[in-house]
Amino acid sequence: MTGCRPTRGRAALEAWLGALLLVAVALATALGDPAQSGPFPACPFRAVTGLDCPGCGSLRALHELTRGHVVAAADYNALLLAFLPVGAGVWLRVVTRASRPRVLPVWWGRAVLAVILLWAVIRNLPVFGGVLAS
């Protein structure tokens, strides 16, 4: 089934579009503070459950990163801070690869899902006194 695998050109285009989207979101958070009321959406998961989802605090963390405040960004969402270098490495591999992109093993997706779920549980535990909450 060769039709299921993206071609190198398509994968690179999608990587560039993803980077453009990240730059647009970073620019929006740099111009406005997501911690203040405004055009930034509230988390629907948090509104319904009162718990932080794995992405809660990501916009505020990105806002702090655009200001150069790495520690404050980690306080809002440490997983985002850990993910950015990994995401940058994957992005570089996709856009610089000369041949067709290699399909990642199934365990990669499972590992990412496990980390996200683990982060969702750990950041809501009262043991840490809310230190990891956004």
Side-chain angles (χ1 to χ4, degrees), residues 52-123:
D52 285 338
C53 77
C56 276
S58 294
L59 287 177
R60 289 170 286 171
L62 193 57
H63 173 76
E64 293 297 335
L65 283 176
T66 63
R67 303 259 185 274
H69 305 145
V70 177
V71 174
D75 190 40
Y76 283 120
N77 194 321
L79 184 63
L80 174 73
L81 212 59
F83 170 75
L84 285 176
V86 173
V90 170
W91 182 84
L92 277 171
R93 181 175 177 151
V94 169
V95 298
T96 60
R97 187 140 172 118
S99 63
R100 186 176 70 199
R102 187 178 64 142
V103 176
L104 293 174
V106 174
W107 66 266
W108 267 75
R110 291 179 182 157
V112 168
L113 182 60
V115 166
I116 290 171
L117 289 174
L118 187 63
W119 173 245
V121 170
I122 288 174
R123 78 183 311 198

Side-chain angles (χ1 to χ4, degrees), residues 1 4 10-11 17 25-26 29 31-32 49 74-75 80 85 90 94 111 113 116 121 124-125 127 134:
M1 291 215 271
C4 294
R10 181 175 172 167
L17 289 174
V25 171
T29 60
L31 296 175
T49 65
D75 190 40
L80 174 73
V90 170
V94 169
L113 182 60
I116 290 171
V121 170
N124 286 297
L125 290 176
V127 174
S134 68

